Amino acid sequence: MTNIIDDHVKVHFRMDMDEDGWPPASVEGLWAVDLGDGTVRLDNTPWFVRGVASGDIIRVQPDDDGVLWAGETVLPSQNCTIRLIVLKDDGSAAARQSVLEVFHRLGTTGEGIERFRMVALDVPPQADLLKIRELLEHGETKEWWHWEEGCVTAAWEAAARP
């Protein structure tokens, strides 16, 4: 994530909770760069919002209080958002950090959050998509984590095993 400076704004996304109360909020705010034309470029990885990734250009609409609400994706970045719930060592800080480090070696960036034992990965198109997928599947088999696809691309889908 870039240092948050004057050209950054908070963009709010509405979310629907499922029958299990997930995600744990009805709104998620993401940092973005205001492009000055009613659009923003997302500048951090979503924890819960589906269908968007860091770098996506999103149309925004301010409400009467000036709060920016996300609309349609104008230009996808071709980045993927992958989220993991870390099970190993009960999702400790060390376990989350080791997950971030191993995926970083394959070309991702990301961050962890203690409250939900989660790691959110930003996977750019030049990352080793096949090895990332293999590691995700291997770690789930070993019960190191559960993972989900928050936002994926055609290239990510093509890297899936037949």
Side-chain angles (χ1 to χ4, degrees):
M1 189 169 101
T2 308
N3 289 332
I4 305 304
I5 53 175
D6 291 340
D7 62 346
H8 281 75
V9 295
K10 191 69 102 162
V11 177
H12 297 82
F13 291 78
R14 290 183 176 89
M15 302 179 295
D16 295 321
M17 287 186 191
D18 66 19
E19 61 278 354
D20 297 323
W22 194 260
S26 60
V27 173
E28 180 175 4
L30 298 175
W31 287 110
V33 175
D34 187 346
L35 300 178
D37 61 357
T39 65
V40 299
R41 184 181 65 248
L42 296 182
D43 200 30
N44 69 293
T45 306
W47 288 110
F48 305 110
V49 176
R50 295 186 168 280
V52 296
S54 181
D56 288 357
I57 307 294
I58 307 288
R59 189 167 316 286
V60 293
Q61 181 68 42
D63 66 14
D64 292 341
D65 296 321
V67 175
L68 291 179
W69 290 96
E72 68 180 329
T73 299
V74 176
L75 182 63
S77 64
Q78 300 306 309
N79 292 336
C80 297
T81 301
I82 305 296
R83 294 183 278 257
L84 299 90
I85 301 221
V86 179
L87 304 175
K88 190 172 184 171
D89 297 331
D90 201 31
S92 69
R96 291 189 315 274
Q97 186 60 38
S98 70
V99 168
L100 287 166
E101 289 170 5
V102 72
F103 282 100
H104 181 75
R105 289 194 287 271
L106 299 175
T108 72
T109 58
E111 59 184 305
I113 185 171
E114 181 178 6
R115 181 173 176 201
F116 302 107
R117 304 179 320 188
M118 285 178 65
V119 167
L121 298 176
D122 180 43
V123 183
Q126 66 273 17
D128 192 333
L129 303 182
L130 181 59
K131 285 190 177 173
I132 291 167
R133 288 188 75 98
E134 289 173 350
L135 180 56
L136 286 166
E137 292 166 7
H138 177 76
E140 185 151 54
T141 300
K142 294 286 191 180
E143 298 184 357
W144 294 339
W145 53 66
H146 295 301
W147 65 281
E148 71 171 12
E149 299 168 330
C151 181
V152 296
T153 61
W156 176 263
E157 295 290 346
R161 285 188 237 183

